[in-house]
Structures are given as C-alpha cells and as structure tokens.
Amino acid sequence: MIKMRHIGKTYAQDGVKTVALKDVSFEVSSGEFVAIMGPSGSGKSTLMHILGALDTPTSGQYFLDNEDISKLDDDQLADIRNQKIGFVFQSFNLLPRTTALKNVMLPMAYAGISEGERRAKALQLLDEVGLSDRTEHLSNQLSGGQQQRVAIARALSMDPKIILADEPTGNIATTQAKEIMEIFSKLHRQGRTIIMITHEEDIARHAKRVIVIRDGLITEDKKL
Ligand SMILES: Nc1ncnc2c1ncn2[C@@H]1O[C@H](COP(=O)(O)OP(=O)(O)OP(=O)(O)O)[C@@H](O)[C@H]1O
Ligand SMILES: [Mg+2]
C-alpha cells in the first residue's frame, strides 16, 4: 500500500539547508499498525508530512497504492489527502467555538456530501469514540482527551484507508491517553492502516511494528 524508496528531504530557508531525511526506504501493508519513534529533530514529523501528502520529498519515490505521488502538484496532493488519509495531530487542530458535531462534519462538506448524510455520519462517528453526549459542546468546552476523540472522529469522516497520527497523546493526561489508544487499537482491529509517531514506549506498545529514526535514517524496524 505504502512504498517509500530512498526518500530524502532537505529544507532550504534563507540560504540555510537542513537535511531532515537522508535516505529512508520502507513499506507498509494494508492493515498494519506502525509506530514511528526517535529523538527530537530526527525527522519523524517530516516523514509524516511526506506520508500524508502534505509535503513532497526532495529525492526518492513515494508510491501510494502503486501510484508515484512524489512529484504531484498541490491540487493533486490535496485530492489524495481527502480520499485516502485521515490526520490526527498532537494539538487536535479543531475549529474553536465550533461544536464537536460541526467539526466532524466539515471534511464531508468539502467533499460535497449532503447535510443530512454528513450529520448522520458525524453522529455515528462521535458515538463510536464515546462522545454521543457531547455532540453540541463547543470544542473549547471539551477536555483534551475529548478533543482528541473529536479529532479522530473527524479523521474518519471520509473513510480513509490510512490514519496518520503525530504524537496523538502528547497533550493529554495519562488516563485519557489510554482511552485514545484503545480507540486506535479498535480501528486497527477494524482493518485500518495506522501510522503513529510517539516518544513514549508505553504508547508504541499498542502498535504491531516499530520503526526508529535517528538523524534522518531508519536505524531499527521491528515487529512487536
Ligand atoms: N519547515 C522547516 N524548515 C526548515 N527546517 C525544518 C523544517 N521542518 C523541520 N525542519 C528541521 O528538520 C529536522 C527534522 O525535523 P522534524 O520536525 O521532522 O523532527 P521530529 O523528529 O518530528 O522532532 P520532534 O520529536 O521534536 O517533533 C530538524 O532539524 C528541524 O529543525
Ligand atoms: Mg515532530
């Protein structure tokens, strides 16, 4: 499903070049649950941005469902993101002063799905993440763990095959982090492909495979 071949990424800013990824190759099959670990600055988020078609590599090839997407333009990448990928970020990235329900409905609005269908799907997803009693709460009236559950429901709204999560439990309390990880485990059992960045061993243990990155290179890739 995902095939990365000799991916490199160099950022150039004001004449200063930063090599974030040197030469990264790996594959992820449909239905895998992978954790990506590594020290701060090792290139994890950079890799996640490339995996999520939010950015393009400076070298190498990235095949998603056998299509080389490393050289697509911004519009084409946006289409890939909408159709195939759900994102979960450390800082939730919900719209503030907007209800949980509306936050989950939003990606479906961009896709032109009818209001009734959007509402029904969003309510179903909020129920799945245990928030059926919070649908009309504004996002800023929810706890961190609840906000992240709304973000997961939103990530699922377009039925993506791949869920990408960058430190999904980084900003929430331990008890709530456990609930978040139970949701990811359930999604894995349902057959979704999950790639999750984390600093924490406890969190990585929910995955079935761990890839470690150091200095822009994969130093370990092990099954759990
Ligand atoms: N937009 C950018 N412009 C220039 N340099 C960048 C940019 N984004 C990241 N970098 C640099 O690339 C390297 C890798 O950054 P990246 O964010 O991928 O690390 P990370 O592994 O996610 O770290 P952390 O665990 O702290 O989130 C770092 O040296 C960083 O300073
Ligand atoms: Mg990062």
Side-chain angles (χ1 to χ4, degrees), residues 105-183:
M105 286 170 70
L106 194 65
M108 295 184 275
Y110 294 134
I113 296 167
S114 77
E115 157 99 28
E117 209 177 315
R118 272 166 19 221
R119 177 174 292 271
K121 176 91 186 188
L123 287 171
Q124 177 220 322
L125 288 168
L126 284 166
D127 186 43
E128 274 182 42
V129 297
L131 287 177
S132 48
D133 56 346
R134 293 288 188 280
T135 59
E136 293 302 325
H137 276 58
L138 303 181
S139 55
N140 46 297
Q141 297 169 337
L142 296 169
S143 72
Q146 289 170 338
Q147 289 185 57
Q148 194 60 300
R149 283 189 275 154
V150 174
I152 293 172
R154 180 185 56 185
L156 294 170
S157 62
M158 294 296 294
D159 266 325
K161 290 198 288 187
I162 303 168
I163 306 281
L164 296 180
D166 195 345
E167 299 271 1
T169 60
N171 276 341
I172 52 191
T174 319
T175 47
Q176 303 210 1
K178 248 180 121 179
E179 288 173 18
I180 298 293
M181 290 321 298
E182 275 161 23
I183 293 172

Side-chain angles (χ1 to χ4, degrees), residues 205-219:
R205 226 169 280 140
H206 289 83
K208 297 284 183 271
R209 172 181 170 193
V210 175
I211 293 175
V212 180
I213 303 189
R214 279 176 214 282
D215 261 339
L217 290 169
I218 292 180
T219 56

Side-chain angles (χ1 to χ4, degrees), residues 5-217:
R5 287 268 179 274
H6 303 295
I7 291 288
K9 177 73 179 179
T10 301
Y11 294 106
Q13 222 172 21
D14 306 324
V16 180
K17 286 189 173 178
T18 310
V19 180
L21 294 175
K22 289 175 180 159
D23 183 350
V24 169
S25 300
F26 66 99
E27 295 182 14
V28 176
S29 307
S30 182
E32 276 199 83
F33 186 177
V34 183
I36 296 179
M37 302 192 76
S40 184
S42 56
K44 304 182 297 297
S45 294
T46 299
L47 179 60
M48 189 64 86
H49 289 151
I50 293 171
L51 278 167
L54 290 163
D55 204 353
T56 46
T58 32
S59 57
Q61 289 175 301
Y62 172 20
F63 296 92
L64 184 55
D65 290 331
N66 294 316
E67 180 187 5
D68 185 357
I69 70 160
S70 29
K71 289 162 193 83
L72 299 186
D73 65 29
D74 287 350
D75 285 347
Q76 292 168 315
L77 289 177
D79 285 341
I80 301 265
R81 288 198 297 275
N82 291 342
Q83 290 158 18
K84 303 197 172 179
I85 299 157
F87 293 95
V88 178
F89 298 97
Q90 177 171 8
S91 49
F92 323 131
N93 293 12
L94 298 176
L95 288 183
R97 296 179 300 281
T98 303
T99 64
L101 182 65
K102 288 229 169 84
N103 267 285
V104 179
M105 286 170 70
L106 194 65
M108 295 184 275
Y110 294 134
I113 296 167
S114 77
E115 157 99 28
E117 209 177 315
R118 272 166 19 221
R119 177 174 292 271
K121 176 91 186 188
L123 287 171
Q124 177 220 322
L125 288 168
L126 284 166
D127 186 43
E128 274 182 42
V129 297
L131 287 177
S132 48
D133 56 346
R134 293 288 188 280
T135 59
E136 293 302 325
H137 276 58
L138 303 181
S139 55
N140 46 297
Q141 297 169 337
L142 296 169
S143 72
Q146 289 170 338
Q147 289 185 57
Q148 194 60 300
R149 283 189 275 154
V150 174
I152 293 172
R154 180 185 56 185
L156 294 170
S157 62
M158 294 296 294
D159 266 325
K161 290 198 288 187
I162 303 168
I163 306 281
L164 296 180
D166 195 345
E167 299 271 1
T169 60
N171 276 341
I172 52 191
T174 319
T175 47
Q176 303 210 1
K178 248 180 121 179
E179 288 173 18
I180 298 293
M181 290 321 298
E182 275 161 23
I183 293 172
F184 279 111
S185 294
K186 187 171 87 180
L187 294 173
H188 170 57
R189 288 195 298 275
Q190 291 171 351
R192 309 252 185 197
T193 307
I194 303 170
I195 303 177
M196 170 186 73
I197 292 177
T198 182
H199 274 111
E200 297 164 76
E201 295 278 354
D202 291 9
I203 297 294
R205 226 169 280 140
H206 289 83
K208 297 284 183 271
R209 172 181 170 193
V210 175
I211 293 175
V212 180
I213 303 189
R214 279 176 214 282
D215 261 339
L217 290 169

